[in-house]
Amino acid sequence: MRRVIGYVFLLVGAFALAAAAVAGFWGRDAAATVPLNVDTKTVLEGTASGALAKSDTPVAVKYTRTTQAAPDDSTDEVVVFVETACIMIQEGETPTCARAEDDERVVTASERAYAMDRKTSEVVKDQVKYVGEERAVEGMTGLAGKFPFDTQRHDYNYWDDTLGTTVIATYVDDVEVEGVKTYQFEVSASSDDEILSKGEDGEADTDDDVRGSYEATQTIYVEPTTGSYIDQTATQKMVTSSGMVLIDAEMSYDDKTVSTNAEDAEANISKLTLIGTWIPVGGLVAGLLFLLVGLWLVLSGRKPNGGSHAAADDRTLVDA
């Protein structure tokens, strides 16, 4: 019976070592993948002035962005995101968003779709393949929605929708936000002659384009293990070539968004740590213990060499 239990321990030990090896060499990498069920809402609060804000002086505004994955358009390697964003002047019971023709409190409203590599978090080159020709942004590259898993302390290429090109997200410092370790990145984008609006025809580089200067800054606090945003502040200013201020805004994540981001990041870090560290280490230790105990039980359960046959032979000699 002892030998049977020993063989069971050996089998369990071998299984534990195999599980540790799989988790160590494959599990962590598999877990560090952008999921296909993303459905988040981000809220920034602040002030804005200018023609779009219908005020020469700063008024209270709220920027709401929803980000949803489109699993039917995604693959094992690429995830498609659809983002809708809206800036609303805060007057009375203001809706999250509305159509500009229906509500004068709308400052801006937009929608974009893009395809991102689920491992590197960089947008893929062939956007048309995943989001269609009508929604694809030509030449889109760099980071758009999040930073990569295991974000490093160096600069990254960061996509700017208005400029239609990448700018540099510069690493600044390590900063703790809501008890979560983050990397602070600074992003600056500017142009003295940029298309601020494509005009009524919706086509760029035509006679009815509105051109002018564009300045934007972002301070992004990134949790490095997951690459997710914890906090963010942003400014944006657009002035037409005729000198009219279209928008001059300054906003930052509201407290609820920061708190939710911190909680989600901590939960995801725990999952990655479990799969990438505790299961491999625990499986290795448990596997070795089971193997040692199983080996001892098997060896100790064996009878001495010639034990049963020797006893029978001895009895025969005595009887004779």
Side-chain angles (χ1 to χ4, degrees):
M1 184 63 180
R2 178 178 291 183
R3 295 181 67 187
V4 173
I5 297 175
Y7 284 123
V8 172
F9 271 64
L10 288 175
L11 182 62
V12 172
F15 178 80
L17 289 179
V22 170
F25 292 102
W26 177 81
R28 173 62 169 78
D29 184 64
T33 303
V34 179
L36 299 179
N37 61 345
V38 173
D39 187 355
T40 62
K41 182 173 76 171
T42 302
V43 178
L44 292 87
E45 295 178 334
T47 60
S49 60
L52 295 177
K54 292 87 174 175
S55 176
D56 293 331
T57 58
V59 294
V61 295
K62 180 179 290 187
Y63 173 91
T64 304
R65 181 179 68 242
T66 59
T67 303
Q68 293 179 312
D72 292 341
D73 299 323
S74 304
T75 67
D76 291 340
E77 294 79 28
V78 176
V79 57
V80 173
F81 284 124
V82 178
E83 288 185 354
T84 58
C86 199
I87 300 178
M88 298 287 296
I89 299 171
Q90 298 302 291
E91 290 180 354
E93 296 182 1
T94 308
T96 299
C97 194
R99 297 193 307 171
E101 54 268 32
D102 296 333
D103 196 321
E104 292 185 352
R105 291 169 295 184
V106 176
V107 179
T108 62
S110 62
E111 179 179 314
R112 71 171 181 174
Y114 59 92
M116 170 199 294
D117 187 291
R118 297 180 66 193
K119 290 292 186 183
T120 66
S121 298
E122 293 187 355
V123 296
V124 299
K125 291 183 178 180
D126 191 358
Q127 291 289 307
V128 174
K129 176 181 177 181
Y130 297 98
V131 304
E133 189 171 355
E134 291 185 0
R135 297 192 299 177
V137 178
E138 183 179 356
M140 194 175 190
T141 186
L143 302 176
K146 67 181 291 293
F147 276 64
F149 292 95
D150 296 321
T151 298
Q152 301 299 305
R153 295 181 178 90
H154 61 62
D155 299 348
Y156 288 89
N157 290 324
Y158 191 88
W159 178 256
D160 185 280
D161 281 319
T162 301
L163 295 182
T165 187
T166 57
V167 293
I168 301 300
T170 303
Y171 167 77
V172 177
D173 199 2
D174 288 20
V175 178
E176 187 173 292
V177 179
E178 291 284 323
V180 176
K181 174 185 175 181
T182 72
Y183 293 167
Q184 176 185 344
F185 288 90
E186 298 288 347
V187 183
S188 296
S190 64
S191 174
D192 292 332
D193 183 22
E194 191 61 37
I195 298 175
L196 305 180
S197 173
K198 295 179 182 179
E200 294 182 1
D201 61 5
E203 298 291 333
D205 296 319
T206 55
D207 292 339
D208 63 346
D209 290 343
V210 178
R211 306 187 71 95
S213 64
Y214 165 75
E215 297 178 14
T217 64
Q218 295 182 66
T219 301
I220 309 172
Y221 299 89
V222 179
E223 193 291 303
T225 301
T226 61
S228 58
Y229 293 6
I230 303 299
D231 197 3
Q232 181 181 18
T233 62
T235 67
Q236 187 181 80
K237 187 174 184 178
M238 296 182 181
V239 181
T240 68
S241 55
S242 63
M244 180 178 67
V245 177
L246 284 181
I247 189 170
D248 187 356
E250 182 175 348
M251 293 172 285
S252 61
Y253 280 1
D254 67 359
D255 293 340
K256 182 178 180 181
T257 297
V258 175
S259 178
T260 299
N261 289 346
E263 291 175 1
D264 290 345
E266 289 178 334
N268 290 328
I269 291 171
S270 296
K271 293 177 183 177
L272 291 173
T273 302
L274 174 65
I275 296 173
T277 302
W278 291 115
I279 289 180
V281 173
L284 177 62
V285 173
L288 291 175
L289 287 175
F290 274 103
L291 287 178
L292 290 174
V293 173
L295 187 61
W296 176 78
L297 288 172
V298 170
L299 293 177
S300 64
R302 289 181 178 177
K303 295 181 178 181
N305 289 334
S308 59
H309 295 291
D313 291 343
D314 288 344
R315 286 195 297 273
T316 302
L317 289 173
V318 172
D319 290 342

